[in-house]
Amino acid sequence: MLTGMMMRRQLTMTSIIEHASRVFPDTMIVSATAEGSRHSYSYREASRRIGQLANTLAALGVRPGDRVATLAWNGFRHFELYYAIAGIGAVCHTLNPRLPAEQLACIVEHAADRVLFFDPTLASLVSQSRAAFPDDLRLVVMADGLAGCESPELADVMIYEQLLANAAPDCPWPELDESVAAGLCYTSGTTGAPKGVLYSHRSSVLHALSVIAAGTEGLRPGNVILPVVPLFHANAWGLPHAAPLVGASLVLPGPRLDGPSLFTLMDRERVTSAWGVPTVWVGLIEEMRRQGRKPQGLVEVIVGGSAAPAAMIEGFEREFGVCVVHGWGMTETSPVGTLCTLPEGRGTLTTGAEINKKLSQGRPLFGVELKIVEDGERQAHDGKAAGELYVRGHSVTAGYFENPAATATAFDAEGWFKTGDVARIAPDGFLQIVDRSKDLIKSGGEWISSIDVENAALSLPGVAMCAVIAVAHDKWGERPLLVVVKRDGSEVTREEIIAALASRLSKWQVPDDVLFVDCLPMTATGKVSKLKLREQLAPQGN
Ligand code: AMP
C-alpha cells in the first residue's frame, strides 16, 4: 500500500469558527432575546468572544475532557459555548430544559458536569434542582447581570458577561486530535436511565459537511438559516456547525416559538430556510394563513424529528410556494441521517406522486449506510419489505457514554446501530419510516415513555392492566392515550386517573384521555400487543 502524500490536518470545531471568521467575517448571527430585543453580531465578533470565553473556562479550572453543561434556548451565548468549550478540548453537554428537575439532576451527575451555564429564564429550574446537583457544580448565568437569580440557591452564581469582560481576547487554541470528544447529548424519555451520545470533533465536522452536501436550498453562502430546532437537542441538527462552515447567516429564535413570533422574526430577518419539528410548523402555517402570505424571503422549510404530515407539505408548497424537505435522524446519528432533497429541485407540488415522494424521509446523507432487518434477515430495498432500520456511518454513535449495559444491546454483530424504527427502503434509496418498535411516543418533539406512564397508571388501586399508545394529534404529532382494564369492582373514573397521573408525571406526559376496555389484546409471549391495540382503536385514533 502506498500512503498518500497530503497534509494531515485535524477536523475540529475550531477550524469551522476560524474559517467563518476569516472567510465570512461580516456574515451575521442574529438572536431574538427572551426580553424581546434583537442582538446581532458577525462571525468575526463571535469568534473573538469565543476566544475570550475559552480563556474564561480555563480560568474557571475547566480542563480537557471535562464536561461543561448548558441549559439554554437558542441564542448567541449558547452558540459561543458550543465552540469555546469544544475548542479547549472540553465537552459541551447540552441539557434539555423540558426535562423534570430530578431527571436533569441525574443526567448532570452521570455526566459529572463541572460547570453549568444557564439562561436567566431557566433560573427557577436551576434553583429547584440545585439541592440535587453535585455540591461542586459551578453556576454561570448567561446574562450581563443577576436579574432572575434572586433565590438563595443561586447566591453563588457567576455572570457570563462579567467573566468575559475580565478575560484576555486571544485564545491560543490547542492542537486537538479530531477524535477528541466535543459534545454530549442524552436521549430523553426512554425507559431506564437516559443515555449519553458523545460526539467527536471529527463526527461533528463530517456531519456538517454531509448535511451541506445533501443540497438544501438554504445551506449556501449568503442565505439565512433559522434553527427552530433547539441547540440543546442533538446539535440543533448540525446547523451551528454547517451555517458558519458554508457562510450562511444564523437566526437564533430564543424561547418564543409560537407561530406569530416565528413569523415576525422570519419576516424581519428574511430567513431563507427554517428547520424544526412538525409541531412548530403547525403554528407558523396558521399564522401564514392568517396573514395571507409567507414570511419574506422564505424558500424552504426542513421538517424532521417526527413524520411530516401530507397536509403540512401541501400547505407550505401549494398555498405558499415554500419547498418542504423532510428528514429523519436521531440523537445517535448526530442527528441527520436522511434528507428528502429531490433531484428535480424545489418547486410547488402538483401531483400525488410527488407528495408521496416528499412524505418519505429521503435518501441517506454521505457517510450514512442503512439496512433493514426482519427476524435477523437483511431485507431487500424494494419498497415493500419492512423491518427494523439499522444504521452505520462516520457520525453515528459507537456506544453510549459510560453505559456498557445500554451499549451492549444497541448494536448488531457487525456493529450497525439498531434504531428502533421500522422502515422500508425503495429501490432508488428513499427511506420510508412506517412504525416504531421502541415503546415511545413523540409529542411536540419530546419523548414520552409509554412504559413510564403505564407503570404510573398500574400503581393506582383501580387499574388492573393498562397500555399506552400514541394517537395522531394535529398540533403535537402524537399524544398518549391510556387504555385501562379496571380491577373487579373498581369504580375509578377517567378524571381520577388523569388527576392521579398529573401528580406523578410531567404535565406533557399525562395522557389526554383514558379509554376503559374489558380486556387487552395479547401477543403469543403474553405481552400486550400494541400493534393489535392500535389496529382495534384506529377509527378513534385521532
Ligand atoms: P431523537 O433522538 O429524540 O431525535 O429521536 C429520534 C427518533 O425520532 C427516530 O428514531 C424516530 O423514531 C423519530 N423520527 C425522527 N425523524 C422522523 C421522521 N421524519 N419521521 C418519523 N419519525 C422520525
Side-chain angles (χ1 to χ4, degrees), residues 186-188 233-234 237 278 303-308 326-333 335 338 359-361 389 417 419-422 433-436 438 440 442 445-447 478:
Y186 282 71
T187 57
S188 56
H233 180 66
W237 298 355
V303 187
S306 291
H326 189 191
W328 167 89
M330 307 178 71
T331 308
E332 288 89 338
T333 61
T338 66
L359 279 170
S360 86
Q361 281 75 6
L389 179 67
F417 175 73
T419 66
D421 288 323
V422 179
I433 302 284
V434 291
D435 201 354
R436 202 177 284 146
K438 48 197 172 195
L440 292 168
K442 206 165 198 190
E446 299 289 334
W447 288 116
E478 293 177 358

Side-chain angles (χ1 to χ4, degrees), residues 252-440:
L252 302 173
R256 293 196 199 143
L257 306 178
D258 58 285
S261 303
L262 282 179
F263 187 101
T264 308
L265 179 69
M266 291 164 83
D267 203 39
R268 189 184 72 199
E269 304 300 337
R270 307 277 202 278
V271 167
T272 322
S273 173
W275 302 52
V277 296
T279 308
V280 297
W281 303 136
V282 172
L284 178 72
I285 212 160
E286 263 171 30
E287 183 61 16
M288 284 162 69
R289 288 191 179 123
R290 208 179 60 76
Q291 301 215 17
R293 67 176 180 96
K294 65 177 184 177
Q296 299 182 66
L298 184 64
V299 169
E300 114 193 306
V301 167
I302 314 297
V303 187
S306 291
M312 180 173 287
I313 300 177
E314 285 174 353
F316 275 122
E317 300 226 346
R318 291 211 173 126
E319 289 174 50
F320 299 103
V322 173
C323 174
V324 173
V325 176
H326 189 191
W328 167 89
M330 307 178 71
T331 308
E332 288 89 338
T333 61
S334 283
V336 186
T338 66
L339 277 175
C340 193
T341 43
L342 295 184
E344 303 77 41
R346 70 185 154 101
T348 310
L349 288 175
T350 46
T351 67
E354 283 165 324
I355 289 175
N356 280 341
K357 200 87 184 169
K358 293 228 169 181
L359 279 170
S360 86
Q361 281 75 6
R363 287 171 294 191
L365 265 51
F366 168 70
V368 176
E369 289 174 84
L370 304 177
K371 69 174 179 181
I372 43 175
V373 176
E374 181 66 10
D375 291 332
E377 295 291 320
R378 194 170 180 162
Q379 302 295 305
H381 293 187
D382 58 6
K384 296 187 194 100
E388 184 175 351
L389 179 67
Y390 288 31
V391 60
R392 69 179 180 190
H394 52 56
S395 301
V396 176
T397 186
Y400 291 108
F401 179 60
E402 308 265 343
N403 195 338
T407 301
T409 55
F411 300 88
D412 74 1
E414 293 169 347
W416 292 71
F417 175 73
K418 303 178 194 173
T419 66
D421 288 323
V422 179
R424 294 192 184 94
I425 299 175
D428 57 3
F430 281 73
L431 172 76
Q432 183 75 62
I433 302 284
V434 291
D435 201 354
R436 202 177 284 146
S437 59
K438 48 197 172 195
D439 213 353
L440 292 168

Side-chain angles (χ1 to χ4, degrees), residues 220-235:
R220 294 174 194 202
N223 278 350
V224 184
I225 305 291
L226 173 77
V228 181
V229 47
L231 289 165
F232 61 74
H233 180 66
N235 304 309

